[in-house]
Amino acid sequence: MKNTLLENAPSDKKKRPIRCSHCSTTLVVRNGTYPRNDPQNDTEIRVQRYLCKSPECTWHSFSVLPAPLLPVIRHAYEKLFSCYAMIQKGINQATVARKLSLGRGVVKRLKPLCRRFITWLDQERKVTDWGFDPLLFWPDFTRDFSQSFFPERWIKLPSTQHEH
Ligand SMILES: [Zn+2]
């Protein structure tokens, strides 16, 4: 089933159409997969990659991460909440590391990210469609997350392919 044109009718409410993360067109084709590690149970997940077929879109490819995989960050979505909750309670770094099965160095780097993430999430969920449950709107949520936390990935460079 390579290069099947996925034209999703807007009336199809059961399955949200796959949209290009740059121009929002539904005129997209599947273009293979790549592996990501699922941080929740250490298994491999295949992430679907797509090509945007809109002639107006200047980007070529994008991928859609299945929930709960986050762009770039190798930690599970839920882990950010667990980590933040422990930080708020004043639990020390060594204990947080042990409870989350992470190295202390990893937790040290994760702490500021957790704070930033929760602050951002609290603000965004009031104004976005995915606000009431990001897991139900994962492509929209991960696109906004990526644009806010990794804006450099969204800068268009001439004649190169981009992945998000
Ligand atoms: Zn596009």
Side-chain angles (χ1 to χ4, degrees), residues 141-164:
F141 169 74
T142 50
R143 184 202 57 228
D144 289 354
F145 172 81
S146 176
Q147 285 179 346
S148 296
F149 285 78
F150 309 101
E152 69 281 358
R153 301 187 131 224
W154 294 79
I155 296 164
K156 178 85 176 89
L157 298 170
S159 52
T160 43
Q161 294 223 339
H162 292 263
E163 283 294 334
H164 291 284

PDB file of all heavy atoms in Angstrom, residues 141-164:
ATOM      1  N   PHE A 141      -1.386  18.566  19.086  1.00  0.00           N
ATOM      2  CA  PHE A 141      -0.640  18.832  20.312  1.00  0.00           C
ATOM      3  C   PHE A 141       0.872  18.757  20.072  1.00  0.00           C
ATOM      4  O   PHE A 141       1.620  19.658  20.454  1.00  0.00           O
ATOM      5  CB  PHE A 141      -1.061  17.836  21.395  1.00  0.00           C
ATOM      6  CG  PHE A 141      -0.173  17.860  22.605  1.00  0.00           C
ATOM      7  CD1 PHE A 141      -0.243  18.909  23.510  1.00  0.00           C
ATOM      8  CD2 PHE A 141       0.746  16.845  22.818  1.00  0.00           C
ATOM      9  CE1 PHE A 141       0.599  18.948  24.620  1.00  0.00           C
ATOM     10  CE2 PHE A 141       1.587  16.879  23.925  1.00  0.00           C
ATOM     11  CZ  PHE A 141       1.507  17.927  24.818  1.00  0.00           C
ATOM     12  N   THR A 142       1.320  17.698  19.419  1.00  0.00           N
ATOM     13  CA  THR A 142       2.768  17.529  19.215  1.00  0.00           C
ATOM     14  C   THR A 142       3.328  18.585  18.259  1.00  0.00           C
ATOM     15  O   THR A 142       4.463  19.011  18.403  1.00  0.00           O
ATOM     16  CB  THR A 142       3.115  16.110  18.690  1.00  0.00           C
ATOM     17  OG1 THR A 142       2.294  15.795  17.570  1.00  0.00           O
ATOM     18  CG2 THR A 142       2.919  15.077  19.777  1.00  0.00           C
ATOM     19  N   ARG A 143       2.501  19.045  17.302  1.00  0.00           N
ATOM     20  CA  ARG A 143       2.946  20.116  16.404  1.00  0.00           C
ATOM     21  C   ARG A 143       3.165  21.408  17.215  1.00  0.00           C
ATOM     22  O   ARG A 143       4.208  22.052  17.096  1.00  0.00           O
ATOM     23  CB  ARG A 143       1.903  20.354  15.303  1.00  0.00           C
ATOM     24  CG  ARG A 143       2.347  21.406  14.269  1.00  0.00           C
ATOM     25  CD  ARG A 143       1.153  22.003  13.531  1.00  0.00           C
ATOM     26  NE  ARG A 143       0.211  22.590  14.480  1.00  0.00           N
ATOM     27  CZ  ARG A 143      -1.106  22.379  14.467  1.00  0.00           C
ATOM     28  NH1 ARG A 143      -1.647  21.619  13.565  1.00  0.00           N
ATOM     29  NH2 ARG A 143      -1.890  22.944  15.379  1.00  0.00           N
ATOM     30  N   ASP A 144       2.197  21.761  18.049  1.00  0.00           N
ATOM     31  CA  ASP A 144       2.333  22.972  18.871  1.00  0.00           C
ATOM     32  C   ASP A 144       3.503  22.860  19.847  1.00  0.00           C
ATOM     33  O   ASP A 144       4.252  23.812  20.056  1.00  0.00           O
ATOM     34  CB  ASP A 144       1.041  23.251  19.657  1.00  0.00           C
ATOM     35  CG  ASP A 144      -0.088  23.729  18.741  1.00  0.00           C
ATOM     36  OD1 ASP A 144       0.171  23.952  17.548  1.00  0.00           O
ATOM     37  OD2 ASP A 144      -1.222  23.879  19.238  1.00  0.00           O
ATOM     38  N   PHE A 145       3.637  21.686  20.413  1.00  0.00           N
ATOM     39  CA  PHE A 145       4.738  21.427  21.341  1.00  0.00           C
ATOM     40  C   PHE A 145       6.083  21.623  20.629  1.00  0.00           C
ATOM     41  O   PHE A 145       6.969  22.319  21.116  1.00  0.00           O
ATOM     42  CB  PHE A 145       4.616  19.995  21.876  1.00  0.00           C
ATOM     43  CG  PHE A 145       5.781  19.538  22.699  1.00  0.00           C
ATOM     44  CD1 PHE A 145       5.887  19.900  24.036  1.00  0.00           C
ATOM     45  CD2 PHE A 145       6.786  18.769  22.132  1.00  0.00           C
ATOM     46  CE1 PHE A 145       6.975  19.482  24.795  1.00  0.00           C
ATOM     47  CE2 PHE A 145       7.874  18.351  22.885  1.00  0.00           C
ATOM     48  CZ  PHE A 145       7.966  18.710  24.213  1.00  0.00           C
ATOM     49  N   SER A 146       6.197  21.020  19.459  1.00  0.00           N
ATOM     50  CA  SER A 146       7.438  21.113  18.699  1.00  0.00           C
ATOM     51  C   SER A 146       7.751  22.558  18.294  1.00  0.00           C
ATOM     52  O   SER A 146       8.887  23.020  18.396  1.00  0.00           O
ATOM     53  CB  SER A 146       7.335  20.213  17.461  1.00  0.00           C
ATOM     54  OG  SER A 146       8.460  20.341  16.652  1.00  0.00           O
ATOM     55  N   GLN A 147       6.713  23.287  17.875  1.00  0.00           N
ATOM     56  CA  GLN A 147       6.922  24.675  17.450  1.00  0.00           C
ATOM     57  C   GLN A 147       7.343  25.560  18.627  1.00  0.00           C
ATOM     58  O   GLN A 147       8.123  26.487  18.462  1.00  0.00           O
ATOM     59  CB  GLN A 147       5.656  25.233  16.802  1.00  0.00           C
ATOM     60  CG  GLN A 147       5.454  24.680  15.400  1.00  0.00           C
ATOM     61  CD  GLN A 147       4.190  25.188  14.725  1.00  0.00           C
ATOM     62  OE1 GLN A 147       3.313  25.758  15.361  1.00  0.00           O
ATOM     63  NE2 GLN A 147       4.101  24.960  13.428  1.00  0.00           N
ATOM     64  N   SER A 148       6.823  25.262  19.820  1.00  0.00           N
ATOM     65  CA  SER A 148       7.157  26.070  20.995  1.00  0.00           C
ATOM     66  C   SER A 148       8.517  25.721  21.587  1.00  0.00           C
ATOM     67  O   SER A 148       9.265  26.592  21.999  1.00  0.00           O
ATOM     68  CB  SER A 148       6.101  25.884  22.084  1.00  0.00           C
ATOM     69  OG  SER A 148       4.865  26.359  21.622  1.00  0.00           O
ATOM     70  N   PHE A 149       8.825  24.427  21.630  1.00  0.00           N
ATOM     71  CA  PHE A 149      10.056  23.998  22.304  1.00  0.00           C
ATOM     72  C   PHE A 149      11.245  23.855  21.365  1.00  0.00           C
ATOM     73  O   PHE A 149      12.384  23.932  21.796  1.00  0.00           O
ATOM     74  CB  PHE A 149       9.812  22.694  23.061  1.00  0.00           C
ATOM     75  CG  PHE A 149       9.030  22.887  24.329  1.00  0.00           C
ATOM     76  CD1 PHE A 149       7.656  23.062  24.294  1.00  0.00           C
ATOM     77  CD2 PHE A 149       9.683  22.948  25.549  1.00  0.00           C
ATOM     78  CE1 PHE A 149       6.930  23.272  25.461  1.00  0.00           C
ATOM     79  CE2 PHE A 149       8.973  23.158  26.722  1.00  0.00           C
ATOM     80  CZ  PHE A 149       7.594  23.333  26.678  1.00  0.00           C
ATOM     81  N   PHE A 150      10.980  23.618  20.105  1.00  0.00           N
ATOM     82  CA  PHE A 150      12.071  23.444  19.151  1.00  0.00           C
ATOM     83  C   PHE A 150      11.831  24.283  17.894  1.00  0.00           C
ATOM     84  O   PHE A 150      11.744  23.750  16.788  1.00  0.00           O
ATOM     85  CB  PHE A 150      12.233  21.959  18.785  1.00  0.00           C
ATOM     86  CG  PHE A 150      12.319  21.076  19.998  1.00  0.00           C
ATOM     87  CD1 PHE A 150      11.217  20.354  20.417  1.00  0.00           C
ATOM     88  CD2 PHE A 150      13.487  21.014  20.748  1.00  0.00           C
ATOM     89  CE1 PHE A 150      11.268  19.558  21.560  1.00  0.00           C
ATOM     90  CE2 PHE A 150      13.551  20.241  21.887  1.00  0.00           C
ATOM     91  CZ  PHE A 150      12.445  19.504  22.292  1.00  0.00           C
ATOM     92  N   PRO A 151      11.705  25.610  18.079  1.00  0.00           N
ATOM     93  CA  PRO A 151      11.352  26.467  16.933  1.00  0.00           C
ATOM     94  C   PRO A 151      12.377  26.413  15.795  1.00  0.00           C
ATOM     95  O   PRO A 151      12.023  26.615  14.638  1.00  0.00           O
ATOM     96  CB  PRO A 151      11.290  27.876  17.548  1.00  0.00           C
ATOM     97  CG  PRO A 151      12.048  27.794  18.820  1.00  0.00           C
ATOM     98  CD  PRO A 151      11.888  26.377  19.316  1.00  0.00           C
ATOM     99  N   GLU A 152      13.615  26.079  16.144  1.00  0.00           N
ATOM    100  CA  GLU A 152      14.660  26.027  15.103  1.00  0.00           C
ATOM    101  C   GLU A 152      14.368  24.940  14.073  1.00  0.00           C
ATOM    102  O   GLU A 152      14.824  25.020  12.943  1.00  0.00           O
ATOM    103  CB  GLU A 152      16.044  25.833  15.735  1.00  0.00           C
ATOM    104  CG  GLU A 152      16.320  24.463  16.378  1.00  0.00           C
ATOM    105  CD  GLU A 152      15.697  24.297  17.765  1.00  0.00           C
ATOM    106  OE1 GLU A 152      15.061  25.253  18.273  1.00  0.00           O
ATOM    107  OE2 GLU A 152      15.831  23.192  18.339  1.00  0.00           O
ATOM    108  N   ARG A 153      13.592  23.935  14.468  1.00  0.00           N
ATOM    109  CA  ARG A 153      13.253  22.863  13.520  1.00  0.00           C
ATOM    110  C   ARG A 153      12.227  23.312  12.479  1.00  0.00           C
ATOM    111  O   ARG A 153      11.962  22.607  11.522  1.00  0.00           O
ATOM    112  CB  ARG A 153      12.668  21.666  14.273  1.00  0.00           C
ATOM    113  CG  ARG A 153      13.601  21.111  15.285  1.00  0.00           C
ATOM    114  CD  ARG A 153      13.027  19.837  15.847  1.00  0.00           C
ATOM    115  NE  ARG A 153      14.028  18.791  15.825  1.00  0.00           N
ATOM    116  CZ  ARG A 153      13.817  17.538  15.436  1.00  0.00           C
ATOM    117  NH1 ARG A 153      12.632  17.161  15.047  1.00  0.00           N
ATOM    118  NH2 ARG A 153      14.778  16.652  15.437  1.00  0.00           N
ATOM    119  N   TRP A 154      11.629  24.468  12.723  1.00  0.00           N
ATOM    120  CA  TRP A 154      10.571  24.941  11.832  1.00  0.00           C
ATOM    121  C   TRP A 154      11.052  26.052  10.921  1.00  0.00           C
ATOM    122  O   TRP A 154      10.283  26.665  10.203  1.00  0.00           O
ATOM    123  CB  TRP A 154       9.358  25.395  12.650  1.00  0.00           C
ATOM    124  CG  TRP A 154       8.731  24.240  13.348  1.00  0.00           C
ATOM    125  CD1 TRP A 154       9.180  23.667  14.504  1.00  0.00           C
ATOM    126  CD2 TRP A 154       7.610  23.459  12.915  1.00  0.00           C
ATOM    127  NE1 TRP A 154       8.387  22.590  14.826  1.00  0.00           N
ATOM    128  CE2 TRP A 154       7.415  22.444  13.873  1.00  0.00           C
ATOM    129  CE3 TRP A 154       6.742  23.543  11.810  1.00  0.00           C
ATOM    130  CZ2 TRP A 154       6.399  21.503  13.760  1.00  0.00           C
ATOM    131  CZ3 TRP A 154       5.726  22.604  11.716  1.00  0.00           C
ATOM    132  CH2 TRP A 154       5.568  21.604  12.669  1.00  0.00           C
ATOM    133  N   ILE A 155      12.341  26.312  10.988  1.00  0.00           N
ATOM    134  CA  ILE A 155      12.895  27.326  10.084  1.00  0.00           C
ATOM    135  C   ILE A 155      13.191  26.662   8.752  1.00  0.00           C
ATOM    136  O   ILE A 155      13.861  25.633   8.700  1.00  0.00           O
ATOM    137  CB  ILE A 155      14.182  27.948  10.684  1.00  0.00           C
ATOM    138  CG1 ILE A 155      13.847  28.691  11.976  1.00  0.00           C
ATOM    139  CG2 ILE A 155      14.859  28.872   9.679  1.00  0.00           C
ATOM    140  CD1 ILE A 155      15.053  29.008  12.829  1.00  0.00           C
ATOM    141  N   LYS A 156      12.662  27.256   7.704  1.00  0.00           N
ATOM    142  CA  LYS A 156      12.812  26.653   6.376  1.00  0.00           C
ATOM    143  C   LYS A 156      14.178  26.976   5.793  1.00  0.00           C
ATOM    144  O   LYS A 156      14.559  28.126   5.674  1.00  0.00           O
ATOM    145  CB  LYS A 156      11.706  27.191   5.463  1.00  0.00           C
ATOM    146  CG  LYS A 156      11.781  26.688   4.037  1.00  0.00           C
ATOM    147  CD  LYS A 156      11.094  25.333   3.885  1.00  0.00           C
ATOM    148  CE  LYS A 156      11.091  24.902   2.422  1.00  0.00           C
ATOM    149  NZ  LYS A 156      12.287  24.139   2.045  1.00  0.00           N
ATOM    150  N   LEU A 157      14.896  25.901   5.450  1.00  0.00           N
ATOM    151  CA  LEU A 157      16.159  26.091   4.753  1.00  0.00           C
ATOM    152  C   LEU A 157      15.933  25.713   3.298  1.00  0.00           C
ATOM    153  O   LEU A 157      15.177  24.803   3.010  1.00  0.00           O
ATOM    154  CB  LEU A 157      17.249  25.197   5.360  1.00  0.00           C
ATOM    155  CG  LEU A 157      17.575  25.475   6.831  1.00  0.00           C
ATOM    156  CD1 LEU A 157      18.470  24.385   7.391  1.00  0.00           C
ATOM    157  CD2 LEU A 157      18.237  26.827   7.001  1.00  0.00           C
ATOM    158  N   PRO A 158      16.567  26.401   2.361  1.00  0.00           N
ATOM    159  CA  PRO A 158      16.311  26.122   0.947  1.00  0.00           C
ATOM    160  C   PRO A 158      16.749  24.725   0.507  1.00  0.00           C
ATOM    161  O   PRO A 158      17.783  24.244   0.935  1.00  0.00           O
ATOM    162  CB  PRO A 158      17.108  27.213   0.210  1.00  0.00           C
ATOM    163  CG  PRO A 158      18.073  27.748   1.211  1.00  0.00           C
ATOM    164  CD  PRO A 158      17.510  27.492   2.567  1.00  0.00           C
ATOM    165  N   SER A 159      15.923  24.127  -0.321  1.00  0.00           N
ATOM    166  CA  SER A 159      16.158  22.823  -0.956  1.00  0.00           C
ATOM    167  C   SER A 159      16.722  21.737  -0.046  1.00  0.00           C
ATOM    168  O   SER A 159      17.690  21.079  -0.360  1.00  0.00           O
ATOM    169  CB  SER A 159      17.017  22.979  -2.211  1.00  0.00           C
ATOM    170  OG  SER A 159      18.175  23.705  -1.932  1.00  0.00           O
ATOM    171  N   THR A 160      16.120  21.569   1.112  1.00  0.00           N
ATOM    172  CA  THR A 160      16.453  20.416   1.937  1.00  0.00           C
ATOM    173  C   THR A 160      15.140  19.807   2.418  1.00  0.00           C
ATOM    174  O   THR A 160      14.121  20.457   2.440  1.00  0.00           O
ATOM    175  CB  THR A 160      17.291  20.799   3.183  1.00  0.00           C
ATOM    176  OG1 THR A 160      16.746  21.976   3.755  1.00  0.00           O
ATOM    177  CG2 THR A 160      18.738  21.022   2.845  1.00  0.00           C
ATOM    178  N   GLN A 161      15.227  18.573   2.841  1.00  0.00           N
ATOM    179  CA  GLN A 161      14.044  17.909   3.355  1.00  0.00           C
ATOM    180  C   GLN A 161      14.011  18.041   4.867  1.00  0.00           C
ATOM    181  O   GLN A 161      15.037  18.047   5.511  1.00  0.00           O
ATOM    182  CB  GLN A 161      14.061  16.437   2.950  1.00  0.00           C
ATOM    183  CG  GLN A 161      13.923  16.275   1.452  1.00  0.00           C
ATOM    184  CD  GLN A 161      12.969  15.159   1.103  1.00  0.00           C
ATOM    185  OE1 GLN A 161      12.702  14.267   1.904  1.00  0.00           O
ATOM    186  NE2 GLN A 161      12.433  15.193  -0.089  1.00  0.00           N
ATOM    187  N   HIS A 162      12.816  18.146   5.383  1.00  0.00           N
ATOM    188  CA  HIS A 162      12.665  18.342   6.827  1.00  0.00           C
ATOM    189  C   HIS A 162      11.801  17.278   7.463  1.00  0.00           C
ATOM    190  O   HIS A 162      10.841  16.823   6.872  1.00  0.00           O
ATOM    191  CB  HIS A 162      12.057  19.712   7.113  1.00  0.00           C
ATOM    192  CG  HIS A 162      13.000  20.819   6.768  1.00  0.00           C
ATOM    193  ND1 HIS A 162      13.788  21.408   7.714  1.00  0.00           N
ATOM    194  CD2 HIS A 162      13.276  21.398   5.592  1.00  0.00           C
ATOM    195  CE1 HIS A 162      14.530  22.311   7.102  1.00  0.00           C
ATOM    196  NE2 HIS A 162      14.228  22.337   5.839  1.00  0.00           N
ATOM    197  N   GLU A 163      12.172  16.956   8.669  1.00  0.00           N
ATOM    198  CA  GLU A 163      11.411  15.982   9.444  1.00  0.00           C
ATOM    199  C   GLU A 163      10.995  16.612  10.749  1.00  0.00           C
ATOM    200  O   GLU A 163      11.757  17.360  11.337  1.00  0.00           O
ATOM    201  CB  GLU A 163      12.302  14.770   9.779  1.00  0.00           C
ATOM    202  CG  GLU A 163      12.502  13.834   8.628  1.00  0.00           C
ATOM    203  CD  GLU A 163      11.230  13.146   8.206  1.00  0.00           C
ATOM    204  OE1 GLU A 163      10.323  12.995   9.039  1.00  0.00           O
ATOM    205  OE2 GLU A 163      11.153  12.769   7.034  1.00  0.00           O
ATOM    206  N   HIS A 164       9.820  16.289  11.192  1.00  0.00           N
ATOM    207  CA  HIS A 164       9.410  16.771  12.507  1.00  0.00           C
ATOM    208  C   HIS A 164       8.814  15.647  13.297  1.00  0.00           C
ATOM    209  O   HIS A 164       7.959  14.963  12.853  1.00  0.00           O
ATOM    210  CB  HIS A 164       8.403  17.917  12.381  1.00  0.00           C
ATOM    211  CG  HIS A 164       9.086  19.122  11.829  1.00  0.00           C
ATOM    212  ND1 HIS A 164       9.903  19.896  12.595  1.00  0.00           N
ATOM    213  CD2 HIS A 164       9.099  19.621  10.590  1.00  0.00           C
ATOM    214  CE1 HIS A 164      10.381  20.858  11.841  1.00  0.00           C
ATOM    215  NE2 HIS A 164       9.915  20.717  10.637  1.00  0.00           N
TER     216      HIS A 164
END
